[in-house]
Each structure stands twice: as structure tokens, then as C-alpha cells.
Amino acid sequence: MNKTRRDVLATVAAGSLALSGCVTSESPPPGVAVENVHFVNYSSETRTIEYQIDRGDEMAVDSSVIVEPEPLEGDVEGYFATKIIEDETLHERAVYTFRCRLAGDDEWRLEFTFDGEEYTCLTLQASVSPRGSMAVSNGEVPASRCEALTKTTG
């Protein structure tokens, strides 16, 4: 039985789709490199932020940072203070889980996992509002800095 060109192309396309589904579902996430972590205090009180960062299933960082209040300059009322922590062990591409809380809290307030599906390199930010609520955000590191930053194991 002679197969037409259309039959052959349909068979190849179906096989390719089937294989691509298998490969994608079993491949690990690409991982992300963390350039640094910014801790921001928008309140008039000194804040101690406790944080942990896991690399895969292992804890990479378990620490805290004190951020003193700094009044805004000029005619603007309010406070803004920041501390930036850079840890070269986080430059290795991996799946990272970041969690944080204010000192004295029993439970972690926020927890996020970054697997590299969206960004190759990122910076994290944990901020405290004037009322003591917390937020976590992340931003992509430009490609030019990312290439120099990223470490791979192997």
C-alpha cells in the first residue's frame, strides 16, 4: 500500500507531539540564579526580618536582617530604608524557595518558589509596610549581568 506524502507527514507530526510531551514532563525545571535580596522597611519602626532560602530540598540560607527606619527627604512624609544582601551561593542555578517573617512571628508569613520557568536570573525583595504587613516581589536581572552571575555545577 502506497502512502501519500500527507500520510507520512501526519504520522511524523503525531510521533513528534507524543515524544515532546514525554520529554517535557520528565525534564526538571531549568532553575534560576538569585543575584541578591532586597529588604525594604516603609515603617517608622526598626524591623527585623527573618528569612530562609532553600535550594531544592536543602536549606541554603537561614538568617535575619535588621532594617532601621529612615525618613524620606524633602516635603514627603514617610519612611524608606533598604538593605541588600548578596550571597554568591545563590548564584548557582537551582529551584529556590524563599520564605520570610518579622522577628517574633511563630509562622512564616510568605513563601514563594522560583524554578526558572519565567526568569533565568532574578532579584528578590521583601518589604514591610507601615502597619507591619509584608510583601515579596521579584524582578528579572538583565541578560548582560545574568551571564556573568550564573554559576553551574558539573
Side-chain angles (χ1 to χ4, degrees), residues 52-69:
Q52 293 180 338
I53 303 174
D54 295 342
R55 181 185 305 106
D57 295 333
E58 295 182 17
M59 186 172 305
V61 178
D62 183 8
S63 192
S64 64
V65 62
I66 298 171
V67 186
E68 300 284 342

Side-chain angles (χ1 to χ4, degrees), residues 39 49-52 98-102 105 107-111 126-127 134-136:
F39 295 94
I49 302 169
E50 297 175 344
Y51 66 102
Q52 293 180 338
F98 175 80
R99 67 186 68 79
C100 60
R101 64 184 173 197
L102 292 178
D105 287 354
E107 302 290 324
W108 294 105
R109 291 193 185 194
L110 300 167
E111 182 172 307
S127 57
M134 294 188 75
V136 170

Side-chain angles (χ1 to χ4, degrees), residues 9-23:
L9 288 175
T11 303
V12 169
S16 296
L17 284 175
L19 282 176
S20 68
C22 292
V23 171

Side-chain angles (χ1 to χ4, degrees), residues 26-38:
E26 293 190 23
S27 60
V32 65
V34 178
E35 180 180 42
N36 51 42
V37 184
H38 296 241

Side-chain angles (χ1 to χ4, degrees), residues 113-128:
T113 299
F114 303 93
D115 60 10
E117 294 291 338
E118 293 182 39
Y119 303 123
T120 303
C121 298
L122 58 81
T123 112
L124 298 174
Q125 177 176 301
S127 57
V128 183

